[in-house]
């Protein structure tokens, strides 16, 4: 209650959302509280709010996406913004136009918020320094995927009340995962104890500098976990083979029905998607009673409405101050 009162007085000041590493606990909680206010829109007969009426949001996705792209499109539409769907394949990028020139040209059409996914870590930051529009990172290289982590912690908070003291395992391909990086920042700032679990070949360089524990055996730690987040093995980002065989990986690190028997009965099972069924998680577990995977997707909509709302508010405020 006291926390809510404190957040009411809090003024959001960021017109870009590039990552969670620099955000405070209070700022992350403010985004979650704002998102919670938008959650009820999904159950209303009229699902729209006029919040971004007259504003233009462009979805600039240089990598494929199902969840993030459509969620941002729907979030912007529900806030009554006009939405431009930029696609690398049918744009002048194929003729050699740069990212900055592309964004500046879109901005010249009156774009207010750029949502960007790019294979290069740092692309959203670069963009935020080159254009006046708000920039929201929808996933950049191995760097960060802030709205995925926000919807992850939002979902955990909805399920468990709070992250304080929770033991959370993030399992699998940590090395190539921007989700893991943003999750680590969000989860630890909200008070959870995070353990990264996977083979040494899938641990990122510099893991010892992160505020996490590390385990190379899922069986050693599964009994202690309150929440388990299974990551996708990102074959498309790997140069060579990080493990001898898919079967072997599954045997040691897959979330199987058998392994679930050793977990706490109320363990929360998460996955950011897309799922490699039968590799990092068995279908019976992904679709089972402990899974919140589709709730994560549903919550992503409220979280992205909250983020679009807040960055626009900050831009309006900064415009007044200039
Ligand atoms: N979780 C996630 O980023 O999924 P998409 O690649 O489908 O956006």
């Amino acid at each position: 209650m006291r926390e809510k009162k404190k957040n009411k007085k809090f003024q959001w000041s960021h017109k870009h959302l590039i990552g969670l590493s620099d955000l405070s606990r209070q700022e992350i909680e403010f985004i979650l509280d704002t998102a919670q206010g938008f959650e009820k829109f999904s159950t209303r007969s009229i699902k729209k709010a006029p919040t971004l009426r007259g504003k233009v949001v462009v979805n600039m996705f240089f990598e494929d996406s199902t969840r993030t792209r459509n969620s941002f499109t729907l979030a912007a539409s529900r806030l009554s913004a006009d939405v431009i769907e930029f696609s690398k394949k049918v744009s002048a990028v194929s003729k050699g136009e740069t990212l900055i020139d592309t964004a500046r040209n879109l901005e010249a059409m009156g774009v207010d918020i750029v949502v960007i996914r790019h294979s290069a870590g740092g692309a959203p930051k670069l963009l935020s320094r080159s254009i006046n529009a708000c920039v929201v990172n929808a996933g950049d290289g191995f760097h960060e995927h802030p709205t995925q982590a926000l919807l992850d912690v939002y979902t955990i908070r909805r399920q468990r009340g709070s992250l304080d003291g929770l033991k959370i395992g993030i399992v699998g391909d940590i090395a190539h995962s921007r989700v893991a990086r943003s999750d680590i920042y969000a989860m630890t700032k909200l008070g959870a104890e995070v353990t990264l679990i996977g083979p040494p070949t899938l641990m990122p360089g510099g893991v010892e500098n992160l505020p996490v524990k590390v385990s190379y055996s899922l069986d050693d730690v599964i009994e202690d976990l309150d929440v388990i987040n299974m990551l996708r093995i990102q074959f498309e980002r790997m140069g060579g083979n990080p493990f001898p065989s898919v079967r072997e990986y599954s045997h040691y690190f897959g979330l199987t029905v058998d392994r679930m028997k050793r977990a706490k009965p109320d363990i929360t099972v998460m996955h950011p998607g897309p799922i490699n069924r039968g590799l990092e998680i068995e279908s019976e577990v992904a679709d089972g009673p402990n899974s919140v995977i589709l709730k994560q997707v549903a919550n992503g909509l409220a979280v992205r409405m909250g983020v679009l709302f807040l960055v626009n508010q900050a831009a309006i405020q900064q415009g007044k101050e200039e």
Side-chain angles (χ1 to χ4, degrees), residues 40-107:
K40 56 183 177 290
F41 280 84
S42 291
T43 52
R44 283 186 181 170
S45 56
I46 296 170
K47 296 184 166 56
K48 287 211 176 213
T51 317
L52 293 185
R53 194 160 55 199
K55 300 286 176 180
V56 182
V57 176
V58 60
N59 268 332
M60 284 182 87
F61 276 61
F62 291 83
E63 285 186 338
D64 294 340
S65 166
T66 296
R67 280 145 291 270
T68 313
R69 180 176 202 137
N70 291 310
S71 180
F72 268 115
T73 302
L74 195 51
S77 306
R78 289 217 169 147
L79 295 174
S80 307
D82 294 316
V83 186
I84 300 173
E85 296 292 349
F86 169 91
S87 170
K88 180 184 168 191
K89 286 182 192 112
V90 293
S91 74
V93 170
S94 62
K95 300 175 194 168
E97 191 165 33
T98 66
L99 169 66
I100 304 294
D101 279 339
T102 304
R104 281 186 179 148
N105 276 270
L106 290 166
E107 195 176 36

Side-chain angles (χ1 to χ4, degrees), residues 8-246:
K8 267 201 173 148
K9 285 200 196 124
F10 179 81
Q11 175 90 39
W12 180 262
S13 61
H14 303 284
K15 69 178 254 192
H16 309 297
L17 180 68
I18 307 300
L20 302 183
S21 64
D22 293 334
L23 294 194
S24 66
R25 175 176 184 146
Q26 190 184 21
E27 287 172 320
I28 292 172
E29 285 180 337
F30 191 73
I31 300 175
L32 303 185
D33 292 344
T34 305
Q36 202 161 332
F38 284 113
E39 197 185 300
K40 56 183 177 290
F41 280 84
S42 291
T43 52
R44 283 186 181 170
S45 56
I46 296 170
K47 296 184 166 56
K48 287 211 176 213
T51 317
L52 293 185
R53 194 160 55 199
K55 300 286 176 180
V56 182
V57 176
V58 60
N59 268 332
M60 284 182 87
F61 276 61
F62 291 83
E63 285 186 338
D64 294 340
S65 166
T66 296
R67 280 145 291 270
T68 313
R69 180 176 202 137
N70 291 310
S71 180
F72 268 115
T73 302
L74 195 51
S77 306
R78 289 217 169 147
L79 295 174
S80 307
D82 294 316
V83 186
I84 300 173
E85 296 292 349
F86 169 91
S87 170
K88 180 184 168 191
K89 286 182 192 112
V90 293
S91 74
V93 170
S94 62
K95 300 175 194 168
E97 191 165 33
T98 66
L99 169 66
I100 304 294
D101 279 339
T102 304
R104 281 186 179 148
N105 276 270
L106 290 166
E107 195 176 36
M109 296 176 206
V111 164
D112 299 286
I113 303 176
V114 176
V115 177
I116 177 171
R117 170 171 288 192
H118 203 283
S119 58
K125 183 80 184 168
L126 178 69
L127 207 55
S128 72
R129 289 181 175 150
S130 313
I131 59 175
N132 288 319
C134 304
V135 176
V136 177
N137 181 4
D140 61 330
F142 303 165
H143 177 229
E144 282 219 42
H145 191 347
T147 59
Q148 178 66 45
L150 288 167
L151 74 87
D152 288 345
V153 292
Y154 184 91
T155 303
I156 296 169
R157 204 173 76 153
R158 290 301 262 142
Q159 288 294 117
R160 322 280 306 208
S162 157
L163 276 80
D164 275 312
L166 285 184
K167 290 184 167 35
I168 302 179
I170 303 178
V171 186
D173 185 0
I174 319 284
H176 302 98
S177 179
R178 54 197 177 204
V179 174
R181 215 165 292 272
S182 291
D183 269 347
I184 291 165
Y185 298 133
M187 290 168 178
T188 55
K189 284 176 190 202
L190 295 183
E193 179 188 302
V194 173
T195 304
L196 304 182
I197 305 152
T201 47
L202 290 179
M203 286 294 162
V207 69
E208 62 283 355
N209 300 321
L210 295 170
V212 294
K213 295 181 174 178
V214 174
S215 172
Y216 301 119
S217 164
L218 180 52
D219 287 324
D220 280 357
V221 294
I222 193 162
E223 287 171 18
D224 289 332
L225 299 177
D226 300 300
V227 177
I228 189 164
N229 192 11
M230 304 304 297
L231 298 178
R232 181 174 71 87
I233 300 294
Q234 301 191 43
F235 291 109
E236 76 278 14
R237 298 192 198 275
M238 294 176 187
N241 272 343
F243 39 80
S245 73
V246 161

Side-chain angles (χ1 to χ4, degrees), residues 255-257 275-289 291 293:
L255 193 56
T256 59
V257 172
I275 298 173
N276 293 310
R277 285 176 183 266
L279 172 51
E280 64 259 2
I281 188 166
E282 279 184 352
S283 277
E284 292 89 329
V285 182
D287 304 329
S291 170
I293 294 170

